[in-house]
């Protein structure tokens, strides 16, 4: 794997002569300062077409869009899954979530989900960064387990402020079962404020407190996940924050959703301003993406369908990366990518040691986005069986096979037919056979590993 490491300091012979201990102290200080910081910003249940730079006509996201103007915007980037927990498991592990049997969102701590979570292997993204000398922080949503052995700290996060459930009352800070769900590290806390604003404030504090050392910060906004509670209108979410759907009375509006997302965008702007103020922007890789497709108030245009499905609207998501001096500004890239590629890219960019047994499933995208290597063809896989939806999919190059149920197969050219309106299964049976074989082989591999893990 092509790993762009941090720029080495000047050879010692070219430095001014200083006493030996001072020379090595200066050398180590410069080397440490040149290791890039990483800020990874993830929103929740946001549609592919919900950013201004992705065509939204009614939602203003100037700060998120700034990352694309000053870096690169990807058109063909995917979440690892059409729902929260599986995608986040792939991000933290760098591997297909099926290997850990995390294929649907965990429910509340009072359910059987309380016993389930992402196992801490010692090789997860935050742990490897921590081992490499990085300060590591997660602000916002976790959703990878409630027990201590599944907690953010067990995976290598030095600091955690946020919630463990899939969603939270933005004002009362309770989860779907009505229980308080706001933590600082392992301690339940009560902090007044709108959850999106608290996420921004704690993220800025983390950057300020770690400005003199390399840091990795995951900013996991709850917006625009339900409950649809806009800012500056304090209220208690109805029915313990139950997901309100179109046929409900007073279910929420697109205007509410827009206000929630624009507040998150404002938070992104405040975080970027903090990097500027502290002189950290030029040495910080900033990434923005989303965990899965949007819900019914989101905008998927021009894609079809939404969250929980493996149609493009359920898994194709926005992704923008900025790394001044490393990624040229103002690019739009059609390179196919997926959430776990971000894991590989961050580890490569920071130059931390990756044990061979980590076995990352993603690839380092930075050399491609930096223009050092050409785009590569990808073959990516998905599987979901949740909320009454059973689907499998594979994308190889521009071709996608979507299997619904057992044998309802669709074949699409998703480069030219983004909306998946022209099913080619009847004319490209060759592709259906080839892609189906790849999908079956992948399933056998990940299921065998998951089975071995359960022993």
């Amino acid at each position: 794997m092509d790993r762009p490491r941090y720029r080495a300091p000047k050879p010692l012979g070219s430095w001014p002569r200083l006493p030996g201990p001072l020379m090595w102290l200066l050398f180590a200080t410069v080397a440490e300062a040149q290791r890039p910081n990483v800020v990874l910003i993830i929103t929740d249940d946001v549609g592919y077409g919900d950013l201004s730079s992705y065509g939204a006509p009614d939602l203003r996201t100037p700060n998120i869009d700034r990352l694309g103007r000053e870096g690169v915007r990807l058109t063909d980037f995917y979440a690892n899954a059409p729902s929260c927990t599986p995608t986040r498991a792939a991000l933290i592990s760098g591997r297909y979530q099926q290997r850990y049997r995390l294929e649907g969102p965990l429910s509340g701590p009072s359910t059987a989900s309380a016993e389930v979570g992402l196992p801490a292997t010692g090789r997860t993204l935050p742990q490897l960064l921590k081992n490499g000398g990085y300060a590591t922080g997660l602000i916002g949503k976790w959703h990878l387990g409630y027990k201590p052995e599944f907690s953010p700290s067990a995976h290598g996060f030095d600091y955690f402020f946020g919630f463990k459930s899939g969603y939270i009352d933005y004002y009362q800070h309770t989860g779907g079962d009505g229980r308080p769900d706001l933590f600082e590290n392992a301690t339940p806390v009560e902090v007044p404020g709108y959850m999106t604003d608290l996420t921004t404030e704690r993220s800025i504090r983390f950057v300020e407190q770690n400005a003199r050392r390399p840091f990795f910060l995951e900013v996991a906004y709850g917006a625009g996940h339900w409950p649809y509670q806009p800012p500056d209108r304090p209220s208690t979410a109805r029915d313990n924050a139950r997901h309100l759907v179109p046929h409900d009375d007073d279910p929420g509006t697109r205007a509410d959703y827009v206000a929630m997302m624009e507040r998150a965008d404002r938070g992104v702007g405040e975080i970027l301003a903090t990097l500027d103020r502290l002189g950290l922007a030029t040495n910080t890789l900033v990434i923005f993406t989303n965990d899965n497709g949007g819900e019914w108030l989101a905008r998927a245009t021009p894609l079809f369908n939404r969250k929980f499905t493996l149609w493009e609207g359920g898994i194709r998501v926005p992704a923008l990366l900025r790394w001044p001096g490393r990624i040229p500004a103002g690019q739009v890239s059609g390179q196919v990518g997926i959430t776990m590629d971000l894991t590989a890219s961050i580890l490569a960019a920071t130059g931390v040691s990756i044990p061979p047994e980590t076995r990352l499933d993603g690839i380092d995208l930075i050399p491609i986005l930096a223009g050092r290597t050409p785009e590569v063809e990808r073959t990516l896989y998905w599987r979901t069986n949740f909320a009454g939806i059973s689907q499998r999919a594979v994308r190889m190059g521009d071709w996608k096979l979507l299997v619904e149920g057992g044998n309802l197969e669709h074949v699409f050219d998703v480069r030219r037919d983004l909306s998946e309106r022209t099913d080619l299964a009847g004319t490209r049976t060759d592709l259906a056979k080839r892609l189906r074989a790849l999908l079956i082989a992948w399933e056998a591999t990940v299921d065998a590993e998951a089975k071995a893990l359960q022993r």
Side-chain angles (χ1 to χ4, degrees):
M1 180 182 295
D2 182 6
R3 295 180 184 168
R5 298 181 180 270
Y6 62 89
R7 185 184 308 130
K10 296 178 182 179
L12 287 178
S14 65
W15 289 45
R17 292 191 176 184
L18 295 171
L22 289 179
M23 175 64 77
W24 284 109
L25 177 61
L26 180 60
F27 180 89
T29 301
V30 172
E32 187 80 348
Q34 290 180 338
R35 303 181 73 190
N37 308 304
V38 180
V39 176
L40 172 62
I41 304 168
I42 304 178
T43 49
D44 198 345
D45 283 12
V46 174
Y48 181 82
D50 266 331
L51 305 182
S52 301
S53 54
Y54 283 79
D58 61 340
L59 207 166
R60 298 181 298 275
T61 53
N63 299 297
I64 297 171
D65 298 333
R66 174 186 168 190
L67 298 175
R69 292 194 308 272
E70 298 176 358
V72 59
R73 178 173 68 86
L74 281 74
T75 61
D76 288 53
F77 193 83
Y78 289 91
N80 261 76
S83 60
C84 317
T85 295
T87 294
R88 295 167 195 272
L91 169 70
I92 296 300
S93 69
R95 312 191 75 210
Y96 279 109
Q97 65 276 7
Q98 284 81 6
R99 300 184 188 278
Y100 305 100
R101 289 189 173 175
L102 290 173
E103 297 193 61
L106 299 180
S107 51
S110 58
T111 69
S113 285
E115 301 299 317
V116 180
L118 181 67
T121 62
R123 300 183 299 273
T124 51
L125 172 63
Q127 186 65 61
L128 293 176
L129 290 167
K130 181 176 181 176
N131 294 349
Y134 274 70
T136 54
L138 167 64
I139 317 294
K141 178 173 173 175
W142 176 236
H143 207 196
L144 287 175
Y146 299 96
K147 299 178 72 174
E149 58 263 38
F150 303 135
S151 68
S153 63
H155 286 277
F157 280 111
D158 296 317
Y159 180 74
F160 168 59
F161 176 84
F163 54 101
K164 296 181 180 180
S165 298
Y167 53 94
I168 191 171
D169 184 304
Y170 286 79
Y171 291 98
Q172 306 302 317
H173 310 150
T174 53
D177 58 2
R179 299 181 184 183
D181 188 21
L182 185 62
F183 294 84
E184 185 164 24
N185 298 317
T187 305
V189 293
E190 294 184 12
V191 183
Y194 187 63
M195 192 63 217
T196 300
D197 295 341
L198 294 179
T199 301
T200 299
E201 292 165 8
R202 292 300 177 113
S203 296
I204 290 172
R205 185 185 302 180
F206 181 88
V207 171
E208 292 173 337
Q209 292 176 341
N210 293 281
R212 295 184 178 275
R213 61 179 295 193
F215 62 81
F216 166 67
L217 171 62
E218 180 184 344
V219 184
Y221 283 112
H225 200 291
W226 73 74
Y228 301 119
Q229 295 171 288
D232 306 320
R233 198 195 304 166
S235 64
T236 300
R238 201 165 96 202
D239 301 336
N240 286 341
R242 174 178 67 85
H243 184 210
L244 302 178
V245 292
H247 67 258
D248 277 316
D249 294 329
D250 191 24
T253 67
R254 172 70 179 177
D256 293 334
Y257 175 85
V258 166
M260 293 168 65
M261 284 306 302
E262 290 186 347
R263 182 59 68 95
D265 179 77
R266 189 177 85 176
V268 171
E270 292 173 3
I271 294 169
L272 296 181
T274 301
L275 296 175
D276 291 337
R277 172 169 55 85
L278 298 175
L280 300 174
T282 57
N283 194 40
T284 301
L285 169 61
V286 182
I287 303 170
F288 173 88
T289 192
N290 187 63
D291 63 348
N292 47 253
E295 263 291 355
W296 64 276
L297 283 174
R299 179 181 182 272
T301 308
L303 309 179
F304 174 65
N305 224 309
R306 62 174 78 136
K307 179 181 178 179
F308 295 131
T309 80
L310 297 184
W311 296 89
E312 292 290 284
I315 52 176
R316 196 187 293 209
V317 294
L320 306 97
L321 293 84
R322 185 190 77 175
W323 192 5
R326 303 300 182 96
I327 298 176
Q331 294 187 89
V332 176
S333 174
Q335 172 62 55
V336 176
I338 194 168
T339 308
M340 61 192 178
D341 290 342
L342 300 179
T343 315
S345 301
I346 291 168
L347 292 173
T350 56
V352 300
S353 177
I354 306 174
E357 58 270 25
T358 306
R359 302 195 305 278
L360 297 172
D361 284 326
I363 68 169
D364 178 12
L365 294 173
I366 302 297
I368 300 167
L369 303 180
R372 297 200 305 273
T373 61
E375 292 187 5
V376 296
E377 183 176 291
R378 306 296 302 283
T379 301
L380 303 174
Y381 304 92
W382 296 267
R383 184 174 67 189
T384 187
N385 188 8
F386 184 79
I389 299 170
S390 177
Q391 294 180 333
R392 293 171 289 163
V394 52
R395 174 169 174 171
M396 180 189 69
D398 295 342
W399 299 103
K400 177 181 175 182
L401 173 71
L402 173 65
V403 183
E404 300 187 273
N407 290 299
L408 180 55
E409 299 179 349
H410 310 275
V411 175
F412 300 104
D413 179 345
V414 289
R415 181 75 70 177
R416 297 175 179 83
D417 181 20
L418 276 70
S419 301
E420 296 173 298
R421 298 294 83 189
T422 304
D423 186 358
L424 302 172
T427 57
R428 294 305 307 266
T429 55
D430 58 323
L431 280 170
K433 292 176 183 177
R434 183 180 178 189
L435 294 174
R436 179 84 179 224
L438 290 173
L439 186 57
I440 291 171
W442 169 78
E443 286 188 289
T445 299
V446 296
D447 287 347
E449 184 169 345
K451 185 177 181 180
L453 188 66
Q454 297 295 314
R455 291 174 183 168

